[in-house]
Coordinates of all heavy atoms in Angstrom, one line a residue:
C1 N 0.8 -1.2 0.0 CA 0.0 0.0 0.0 C 0.9 1.2 0.0 O 2.0 1.2 0.4 CB -0.9 0.0 1.2 SG -0.1 0.0 2.8
S2 N 0.3 2.3 -0.5 CA 1.1 3.6 -0.5 C 0.3 4.6 0.4 O 0.3 4.5 1.6 CB 1.3 4.1 -1.9 OG 0.0 4.2 -2.5
S3 N -0.4 5.5 -0.2 CA -1.2 6.4 0.6 C -2.5 5.9 1.1 O -3.2 6.6 1.8 CB -1.4 7.7 -0.3 OG -2.2 7.4 -1.4
T4 N -2.9 4.7 0.7 CA -4.2 4.1 1.1 C -4.0 2.9 2.0 O -4.8 2.0 2.1 CB -5.0 3.7 -0.2 OG1 -4.2 2.7 -0.9 CG2 -5.3 4.8 -1.0
C5 N -3.0 2.9 2.9 CA -2.8 1.9 3.9 C -3.9 2.0 4.9 O -4.5 3.1 5.2 CB -1.5 2.0 4.6 SG -0.1 1.7 3.5
L6 N -4.2 0.9 5.5 CA -5.2 0.9 6.6 C -4.5 1.1 8.0 O -3.3 0.7 8.1 CB -5.9 -0.5 6.7 CG -6.6 -0.9 5.4 CD1 -7.1 -2.3 5.5 CD2 -7.7 0.1 5.0
T7 N -5.2 1.7 8.9 CA -4.6 1.9 10.2 C -5.6 1.3 11.3 O -6.8 1.1 11.0 CB -4.4 3.4 10.6 OG1 -5.6 4.1 10.5 CG2 -3.4 4.0 9.6
V8 N -5.1 1.1 12.5 CA -5.9 0.6 13.6 C -5.6 1.5 14.8 O -4.4 1.7 15.1 CB -5.6 -0.9 13.9 CG1 -6.3 -1.3 15.2 CG2 -5.9 -1.8 12.8
N9 N -6.7 2.1 15.3 CA -6.5 3.1 16.4 C -5.6 4.2 16.0 O -4.9 4.7 16.8 CB -6.0 2.4 17.7 CG -7.0 1.3 18.2 OD1 -8.2 1.4 17.9 ND2 -6.4 0.3 18.8
G10 N -5.7 4.6 14.7 CA -4.9 5.7 14.2 C -3.4 5.5 14.0 O -2.7 6.4 13.7
A11 N -3.0 4.2 14.1 CA -1.6 3.9 13.9 C -1.4 2.7 13.0 O -2.3 1.9 12.7 CB -0.9 3.6 15.3
G12 N -0.1 2.6 12.5 CA 0.3 1.5 11.6 C 0.0 1.8 10.2 O -0.7 2.7 9.8
Q13 N 0.6 1.0 9.3 CA 0.4 1.0 7.9 C 0.2 -0.4 7.4 O 1.1 -1.1 7.2 CB 1.6 1.6 7.2 CG 1.8 3.1 7.6 CD 0.8 4.0 7.0 OE1 0.6 4.0 5.8 NE2 0.0 4.7 7.8
Y14 N -1.1 -0.8 7.4 CA -1.4 -2.2 7.1 C -2.0 -2.4 5.7 O -2.8 -1.6 5.2 CB -2.4 -2.8 8.1 CG -1.9 -2.7 9.5 CD1 -2.3 -1.8 10.4 CD2 -0.8 -3.5 9.9 CE1 -1.8 -1.7 11.7 CE2 -0.3 -3.5 11.2 CZ -0.8 -2.5 12.1 OH -0.3 -2.5 13.3
A15 N -1.6 -3.5 5.0 CA -2.1 -3.8 3.7 C -3.5 -4.3 3.7 O -4.3 -4.2 2.8 CB -1.2 -4.8 3.0
G16 N -3.9 -4.9 4.9 CA -5.2 -5.5 5.0 C -5.5 -5.8 6.5 O -4.6 -5.8 7.3
I17 N -6.8 -6.0 6.8 CA -7.2 -6.3 8.1 C -8.3 -7.4 8.0 O -9.2 -7.3 7.2 CB -7.8 -5.0 8.8 CG1 -6.7 -4.0 9.0 CG2 -8.4 -5.4 10.2 CD1 -7.3 -2.7 9.5
V18 N -8.2 -8.4 8.9 CA -9.2 -9.4 9.0 C -9.9 -9.1 10.3 O -9.3 -9.0 11.3 CB -8.6 -10.8 9.0 CG1 -9.6 -11.9 9.2 CG2 -7.8 -11.1 7.7
I19 N -11.3 -9.0 10.2 CA -12.1 -8.7 11.3 C -13.0 -10.0 11.6 O -13.7 -10.4 10.8 CB -13.0 -7.5 11.1 CG1 -12.2 -6.3 10.8 CG2 -13.9 -7.3 12.4 CD1 -13.0 -5.1 10.4
L20 N -12.8 -10.5 12.8 CA -13.7 -11.6 13.3 C -14.7 -11.0 14.3 O -14.3 -10.2 15.2 CB -12.9 -12.7 14.0 CG -11.8 -13.3 13.1 CD1 -11.0 -14.3 13.9 CD2 -12.5 -14.0 11.9
T21 N -15.9 -11.3 14.1 CA -16.9 -10.7 15.0 C -17.2 -11.6 16.2 O -17.0 -12.9 16.1 CB -18.3 -10.5 14.3 OG1 -18.8 -11.7 13.9 CG2 -18.1 -9.5 13.1
G22 N -17.5 -11.1 17.3 CA -17.8 -11.9 18.5 C -19.3 -12.1 18.6 O -20.0 -12.0 17.6
R23 N -19.8 -12.4 19.8 CA -21.2 -12.7 20.0 C -22.0 -11.5 19.7 O -21.5 -10.3 19.7 CB -21.4 -13.2 21.4 CG -21.0 -12.2 22.4 CD -21.2 -12.5 23.8 NE -20.5 -11.7 24.8 CZ -20.6 -10.4 24.9 NH1 -21.3 -9.7 24.1 NH2 -19.9 -9.8 25.8
A24 N -23.3 -11.6 19.5 CA -24.2 -10.5 19.3 C -24.2 -9.7 20.6 O -24.2 -10.2 21.7 CB -25.6 -11.0 19.0
I25 N -24.3 -8.4 20.4 CA -24.3 -7.4 21.5 C -25.6 -6.7 21.5 O -26.0 -6.2 20.5 CB -23.1 -6.4 21.4 CG1 -21.8 -7.2 21.6 CG2 -23.2 -5.3 22.5 CD1 -20.6 -6.2 21.4
G26 N -26.2 -6.6 22.7 CA -27.4 -5.9 22.8 C -28.5 -6.4 21.9 O -28.8 -7.6 22.0
L27 N -29.1 -5.5 21.1 CA -30.1 -5.9 20.2 C -29.7 -6.4 18.8 O -30.5 -6.7 18.0 CB -31.1 -4.8 20.0 CG -31.8 -4.3 21.3 CD1 -32.7 -3.1 21.0 CD2 -32.6 -5.4 21.9
Q28 N -28.4 -6.6 18.7 CA -27.9 -7.1 17.4 C -28.4 -8.5 17.2 O -28.6 -9.3 18.1 CB -26.3 -7.2 17.4 CG -25.6 -6.0 17.1 CD -24.1 -6.3 17.0 OE1 -23.6 -7.1 17.7 NE2 -23.4 -5.5 16.2
Q29 N -28.7 -8.8 15.9 CA -29.2 -10.1 15.6 C -28.2 -10.7 14.6 O -27.6 -10.0 13.7 CB -30.6 -10.1 15.0 CG -31.6 -9.6 15.9 CD -33.0 -9.6 15.3 OE1 -33.1 -9.7 14.1 NE2 -34.0 -9.4 16.1
R30 N -28.0 -12.0 14.6 CA -27.2 -12.7 13.7 C -28.1 -13.3 12.7 O -29.1 -13.9 13.0 CB -26.3 -13.8 14.3 CG -25.3 -13.2 15.3 CD -24.3 -12.3 14.6 NE -23.1 -12.0 15.4 CZ -22.8 -10.8 15.9 NH1 -23.6 -9.8 15.7 NH2 -21.8 -10.7 16.6
W31 N -27.8 -13.2 11.4 CA -28.7 -13.7 10.4 C -28.3 -15.1 9.9 O -27.1 -15.5 10.1 CB -28.8 -12.7 9.2 CG -29.4 -11.5 9.7 CD1 -28.8 -10.4 10.1 CD2 -30.8 -11.2 9.7 NE1 -29.8 -9.4 10.5 CE2 -31.0 -9.9 10.3 CE3 -31.9 -12.0 9.4 CZ2 -32.3 -9.4 10.5 CZ3 -33.2 -11.4 9.6 CH2 -33.3 -10.1 10.1
P32 N -29.1 -15.8 9.3 CA -28.8 -17.2 8.9 C -27.6 -17.3 8.0 O -27.2 -16.3 7.3 CB -30.1 -17.7 8.1 CG -31.1 -16.7 8.4 CD -30.5 -15.4 8.8
L33 N -26.9 -18.4 8.0 CA -25.8 -18.7 7.2 C -26.2 -18.4 5.7 O -27.3 -18.8 5.3 CB -25.2 -20.1 7.3 CG -24.6 -20.4 8.7 CD1 -24.2 -21.9 8.7 CD2 -23.3 -19.6 8.8
G34 N -25.2 -17.9 5.0 CA -25.5 -17.7 3.5 C -25.9 -16.2 3.3 O -25.9 -15.8 2.1
V35 N -26.3 -15.5 4.3 CA -26.7 -14.1 4.1 C -25.5 -13.3 4.2 O -24.8 -13.3 5.2 CB -27.8 -13.7 5.1 CG1 -28.1 -12.2 4.9 CG2 -29.1 -14.5 4.9
R36 N -25.1 -12.6 3.2 CA -23.9 -11.8 3.2 C -24.2 -10.3 3.1 O -25.3 -9.9 2.7 CB -23.0 -12.2 2.0 CG -22.6 -13.6 2.0 CD -21.6 -13.9 3.0 NE -21.2 -15.3 2.9 CZ -21.1 -16.1 3.9 NH1 -21.4 -15.8 5.1 NH2 -20.7 -17.4 3.7
G37 N -23.3 -9.4 3.4 CA -23.4 -8.0 3.2 C -24.2 -7.3 4.3 O -24.7 -6.2 4.1
L38 N -24.4 -8.0 5.4 CA -25.2 -7.4 6.5 C -24.3 -7.0 7.6 O -24.5 -7.4 8.7 CB -26.3 -8.3 6.9 CG -27.3 -8.7 5.9 CD1 -28.3 -9.7 6.4 CD2 -28.1 -7.4 5.4
Q39 N -23.2 -6.2 7.3 CA -22.2 -5.9 8.3 C -22.8 -5.1 9.5 O -22.3 -5.2 10.6 CB -21.1 -5.1 7.7 CG -21.5 -3.7 7.1 CD -22.0 -3.8 5.7 OE1 -22.1 -4.9 5.1 NE2 -22.3 -2.6 5.1
D40 N -24.0 -4.5 9.3 CA -24.6 -3.8 10.4 C -25.0 -4.7 11.6 O -25.1 -4.3 12.7 CB -25.9 -3.2 10.0 CG -25.8 -2.1 8.9 OD1 -24.7 -2.1 8.3 OD2 -26.7 -1.3 8.7
F41 N -25.1 -6.0 11.3 CA -25.5 -7.0 12.3 C -24.3 -7.6 13.0 O -24.5 -8.5 13.8 CB -26.4 -8.0 11.7 CG -27.7 -7.4 11.2 CD1 -27.9 -7.3 9.8 CD2 -28.7 -7.0 12.0 CE1 -29.0 -6.7 9.3 CE2 -29.9 -6.4 11.5 CZ -30.0 -6.3 10.2
Y42 N -23.1 -7.3 12.6 CA -21.9 -8.0 13.1 C -20.8 -7.0 13.6 O -20.2 -7.4 14.6 CB -21.3 -8.8 11.9 CG -22.3 -9.9 11.5 CD1 -23.1 -9.7 10.5 CD2 -22.3 -11.1 12.2 CE1 -24.0 -10.7 10.1 CE2 -23.2 -12.1 11.8 CZ -24.0 -11.9 10.8 OH -24.9 -12.9 10.4
L43 N -20.6 -5.9 13.0 CA -19.5 -5.0 13.4 C -20.0 -3.9 14.4 O -21.2 -3.5 14.4 CB -18.9 -4.3 12.2 CG -18.3 -5.3 11.2 CD1 -17.8 -4.5 10.0 CD2 -17.2 -6.1 11.8
E44 N -19.1 -3.4 15.2 CA -19.4 -2.3 16.1 C -18.5 -1.1 15.9 O -17.5 -1.2 15.3 CB -19.2 -2.8 17.6 CG -20.1 -3.8 18.1 CD -19.6 -5.2 17.9 OE1 -18.4 -5.5 18.0 OE2 -20.5 -6.1 17.6
D45 N -19.0 0.0 16.4 CA -18.2 1.2 16.6 C -17.6 1.7 15.3 O -18.3 1.7 14.2 CB -17.2 0.9 17.7 CG -16.6 2.2 18.2 OD1 -17.2 2.8 19.0 OD2 -15.4 2.4 17.8
R46 N -16.4 2.1 15.3 CA -15.7 2.6 14.2 C -15.5 1.6 13.1 O -15.3 1.9 11.9 CB -14.3 3.2 14.6 CG -13.7 4.1 13.5 CD -12.5 4.9 14.1 NE -11.4 4.1 14.6 CZ -10.9 4.2 15.8 NH1 -11.5 5.0 16.7 NH2 -9.9 3.4 16.2
N47 N -15.4 0.3 13.4 CA -15.3 -0.7 12.4 C -16.5 -0.8 11.5 O -16.3 -0.9 10.3 CB -15.1 -2.1 13.1 CG -13.8 -2.1 13.9 OD1 -12.9 -1.3 13.6 ND2 -13.7 -3.1 14.8
L48 N -17.7 -0.6 12.0 CA -18.8 -0.5 11.1 C -18.8 0.7 10.3 O -19.0 0.7 9.1 CB -20.1 -0.6 12.0 CG -21.4 -0.4 11.2 CD1 -21.6 -1.5 10.2 CD2 -22.6 -0.4 12.2
E49 N -18.5 1.9 10.9 CA -18.4 3.1 10.2 C -17.4 3.1 9.0 O -17.7 3.5 7.9 CB -18.1 4.3 11.1 CG -19.2 4.5 12.1 CD -18.8 5.5 13.2 OE1 -17.7 6.1 13.1 OE2 -19.5 5.5 14.2
S50 N -16.2 2.6 9.3 CA -15.1 2.5 8.3 C -15.5 1.5 7.2 O -15.3 1.8 6.0 CB -13.8 2.0 9.0 OG -13.3 3.0 9.8
F51 N -16.2 0.4 7.5 CA -16.6 -0.5 6.5 C -17.6 0.1 5.6 O -17.6 -0.1 4.4 CB -17.1 -1.8 7.2 CG -17.3 -2.9 6.3 CD1 -16.3 -3.8 6.0 CD2 -18.6 -3.1 5.7 CE1 -16.5 -4.9 5.1 CE2 -18.8 -4.2 4.8 CZ -17.7 -5.1 4.5
Q52 N -18.6 0.8 6.2 CA -19.7 1.4 5.4 C -19.2 2.5 4.4 O -19.7 2.6 3.3 CB -20.8 2.0 6.3 CG -21.5 0.9 7.0 CD -22.5 1.4 8.0 OE1 -22.3 2.5 8.6 NE2 -23.6 0.8 8.2
I53 N -18.2 3.3 4.9 CA -17.8 4.4 4.0 C -16.4 4.2 3.4 O -15.8 5.2 2.9 CB -17.8 5.8 4.9 CG1 -16.8 5.7 6.0 CG2 -19.2 6.1 5.4 CD1 -16.5 7.0 6.7
M54 N -16.0 3.0 3.4 CA -14.6 2.6 2.9 C -13.6 3.4 3.6 O -12.6 4.0 3.0 CB -14.6 2.9 1.4 CG -15.6 2.0 0.6 SD -15.4 0.2 0.9 CE -13.9 -0.1 0.1
G55 N -13.7 3.6 4.9 CA -12.7 4.3 5.7 C -11.5 3.5 5.9 O -11.4 2.3 5.5
L56 N -10.4 4.1 6.4 CA -9.1 3.5 6.5 C -8.7 3.2 7.9 O -7.7 2.6 8.1 CB -8.1 4.4 5.8 CG -8.4 4.7 4.3 CD1 -7.3 5.6 3.7 CD2 -8.4 3.4 3.5
D57 N -9.4 3.7 8.9 CA -9.0 3.5 10.3 C -10.0 2.7 11.0 O -11.2 3.0 11.1 CB -8.8 4.9 11.0 CG -8.2 4.7 12.4 OD1 -7.2 4.0 12.5 OD2 -8.8 5.3 13.3
F58 N -9.5 1.6 11.6 CA -10.4 0.6 12.3 C -10.0 0.6 13.8 O -9.0 1.2 14.2 CB -10.2 -0.8 11.7 CG -10.8 -0.9 10.3 CD1 -10.0 -0.4 9.3 CD2 -12.0 -1.3 10.1 CE1 -10.5 -0.5 8.0 CE2 -12.6 -1.4 8.8 CZ -11.8 -1.0 7.8
R59 N -10.9 0.0 14.6 CA -10.7 0.0 16.1 C -10.4 -1.4 16.6 O -11.0 -2.4 16.1 CB -12.0 0.5 16.8 CG -11.9 0.4 18.3 CD -13.1 0.9 19.0 NE -13.0 0.6 20.4 CZ -14.0 0.5 21.2 NH1 -15.2 0.6 20.8 NH2 -13.8 0.3 22.5
S60 N -9.5 -1.4 17.5 CA -9.1 -2.7 18.2 C -9.0 -2.3 19.7 O -8.4 -1.3 20.0 CB -7.8 -3.2 17.7 OG -7.5 -4.5 18.3
S61 N -9.6 -3.2 20.5 CA -9.5 -3.0 21.9 C -10.0 -4.3 22.6 O -10.4 -5.2 21.9 CB -10.3 -1.8 22.5 OG -11.7 -2.1 22.4
S62 N -9.8 -4.4 23.9 CA -10.3 -5.6 24.6 C -11.8 -5.6 24.5 O -12.5 -4.6 24.3 CB -9.8 -5.6 26.0 OG -10.2 -4.4 26.7
S63 N -12.3 -6.8 24.7 CA -13.8 -7.1 24.6 C -14.5 -6.4 25.8 O -14.0 -6.5 26.9 CB -14.0 -8.6 24.6 OG -15.4 -8.8 24.4
T64 N -15.6 -5.7 25.5 CA -16.4 -5.1 26.5 C -17.9 -5.5 26.2 O -18.2 -6.2 25.3 CB -16.3 -3.6 26.5 OG1 -16.8 -3.1 25.3 CG2 -14.8 -3.1 26.6
S65 N -18.8 -4.9 27.0 CA -20.2 -5.2 26.8 C -20.7 -4.5 25.5 O -21.8 -4.8 25.1 CB -21.0 -4.7 28.0 OG -20.9 -3.3 28.2
T66 N -20.0 -3.6 24.9 CA -20.4 -2.9 23.7 C -19.5 -3.0 22.5 O -19.7 -2.5 21.5 CB -20.5 -1.3 24.0 OG1 -19.3 -0.8 24.4 CG2 -21.6 -1.1 25.1
F67 N -18.4 -3.8 22.7 CA -17.4 -4.0 21.6 C -16.8 -5.3 21.7 O -16.2 -5.6 22.8 CB -16.4 -2.9 21.6 CG -15.4 -3.0 20.5 CD1 -15.7 -2.4 19.2 CD2 -14.2 -3.6 20.7 CE1 -14.7 -2.5 18.2 CE2 -13.3 -3.7 19.6 CZ -13.5 -3.2 18.4
N68 N -16.8 -6.1 20.7 CA -16.0 -7.4 20.7 C -15.5 -7.9 19.4 O -15.3 -9.1 19.2 CB -16.9 -8.5 21.4 CG -18.2 -8.8 20.6 OD1 -18.4 -8.3 19.5 ND2 -19.0 -9.7 21.1
D69 N -15.2 -7.0 18.5 CA -14.6 -7.3 17.2 C -13.1 -7.7 17.5 O -12.4 -7.0 18.4 CB -14.6 -6.2 16.2 CG -16.0 -5.8 15.8 OD1 -16.9 -6.6 16.0 OD2 -16.2 -4.7 15.2
V70 N -12.6 -8.7 16.8 CA -11.2 -9.1 17.0 C -10.5 -8.9 15.7 O -11.0 -9.4 14.6 CB -11.1 -10.6 17.4 CG1 -9.6 -11.0 17.5 CG2 -11.8 -10.8 18.7
L71 N -9.4 -8.1 15.7 CA -8.7 -7.8 14.4 C -7.3 -8.5 14.3 O -6.6 -8.6 15.3 CB -8.5 -6.3 14.3 CG -9.6 -5.4 13.9 CD1 -10.8 -5.5 14.9 CD2 -9.2 -4.0 13.7
T72 N -7.0 -8.9 13.1 CA -5.7 -9.4 12.8 C -5.2 -8.5 11.6 O -6.0 -8.3 10.6 CB -5.7 -10.8 12.3 OG1 -6.1 -11.6 13.4 CG2 -4.3 -11.3 11.9
C73 N -4.1 -7.9 11.7 CA -3.6 -7.0 10.7 C -2.6 -7.7 9.8 O -1.8 -8.5 10.2 CB -2.9 -5.8 11.3 SG -4.0 -4.7 12.2
I74 N -2.6 -7.3 8.5 CA -1.7 -7.9 7.5 C -0.7 -6.7 7.2 O -1.2 -5.7 6.6 CB -2.4 -8.4 6.3 CG1 -3.5 -9.4 6.7 CG2 -1.4 -8.9 5.3 CD1 -4.4 -9.8 5.6
R75 N 0.5 -6.9 7.6 CA 1.5 -5.8 7.3 C 1.8 -5.8 5.8 O 1.5 -6.7 5.0 CB 2.8 -6.1 8.1 CG 2.6 -6.1 9.6 CD 3.9 -6.2 10.3 NE 4.9 -7.0 9.7 CZ 5.9 -7.6 10.4 NH1 6.0 -7.4 11.7 NH2 6.8 -8.3 9.7
T76 N 2.5 -4.8 5.4 CA 2.8 -4.6 4.0 C 3.8 -5.7 3.5 O 3.8 -6.0 2.3 CB 3.5 -3.2 3.7 OG1 4.6 -3.0 4.5 CG2 2.4 -2.1 3.9
D77 N 4.5 -6.4 4.4 CA 5.4 -7.5 4.0 C 4.6 -8.8 4.0 O 5.1 -9.9 4.0 CB 6.6 -7.6 4.8 CG 6.4 -7.8 6.3 OD1 5.2 -7.9 6.7 OD2 7.3 -7.8 7.1
L78 N 3.2 -8.7 4.2 CA 2.3 -9.8 4.3 C 2.4 -10.7 5.5 O 1.9 -11.8 5.5 CB 2.4 -10.7 3.0 CG 2.1 -9.9 1.7 CD1 2.1 -10.8 0.5 CD2 0.8 -9.1 1.8
V79 N 3.1 -10.3 6.5 CA 3.1 -11.0 7.8 C 1.9 -10.5 8.6 O 1.6 -9.4 8.7 CB 4.4 -10.6 8.6 CG1 4.4 -11.2 10.0 CG2 5.6 -11.2 7.8
T80 N 1.2 -11.5 9.3 CA 0.1 -11.1 10.1 C 0.5 -10.9 11.5 O 1.3 -11.6 12.1 CB -1.0 -12.2 10.0 OG1 -0.5 -13.4 10.5 CG2 -1.5 -12.4 8.6
V81 N -0.2 -9.9 12.2 CA 0.1 -9.6 13.5 C -1.2 -9.2 14.2 O -2.2 -8.8 13.6 CB 1.1 -8.3 13.7 CG1 2.4 -8.7 13.1 CG2 0.5 -7.1 13.0
D82 N -1.3 -9.5 15.5 CA -2.4 -9.0 16.3 C -2.5 -7.5 16.3 O -1.4 -6.9 16.4 CB -2.4 -9.5 17.7 CG -2.5 -11.0 17.8 OD1 -3.2 -11.6 16.9 OD2 -2.0 -11.6 18.8
C83 N -3.6 -6.9 16.2 CA -3.7 -5.4 16.3 C -4.8 -5.0 17.2 O -5.4 -5.8 17.8 CB -3.9 -4.8 14.9 SG -5.0 -5.6 13.8

């Protein structure tokens, strides 16, 4: 990546990010297998906003009652790291 690298919590220069969602939070519902493109039902916080608007900065933090996305970052040398 050059000027379009992804960041997490405002830092880093990542070529890609893999986001794994945790359990449903609050009123979130999980939809049946095979239904795709419903990120509203899986992502929280800035991760949902960045995904919807093709943003470049994602959030990573410890799991709480309002956030439980787990991120793995792919560096520009294609090595994966926890982020």
Side-chain angles (χ1 to χ4, degrees):
C1 62
S2 55
S3 62
T4 56
C5 293
L6 302 173
T7 60
V8 175
N9 300 330
Q13 295 290 302
Y14 301 107
I17 297 172
V18 177
I19 302 175
L20 301 175
T21 62
R23 61 176 164 55
I25 293 177
L27 298 177
Q28 277 183 330
Q29 295 180 349
R30 299 296 195 245
W31 292 94
L33 290 175
V35 176
R36 304 284 185 230
L38 298 175
Q39 63 274 3
D40 297 19
F41 299 105
Y42 296 92
L43 300 175
E44 291 92 37
D45 198 76
R46 191 167 65 237
N47 295 340
L48 175 59
E49 295 167 14
S50 290
F51 191 88
Q52 289 174 326
I53 62 169
M54 298 305 288
L56 301 176
D57 187 46
F58 291 82
R59 176 182 174 203
S60 181
S61 73
S62 56
S63 183
T64 68
S65 62
T66 59
F67 181 86
N68 64 3
D69 295 342
V70 176
L71 280 65
T72 297
C73 291
I74 304 169
R75 298 186 327 203
T76 55
D77 62 1
L78 302 183
V79 172
T80 61
V81 295
D82 293 333
C83 40

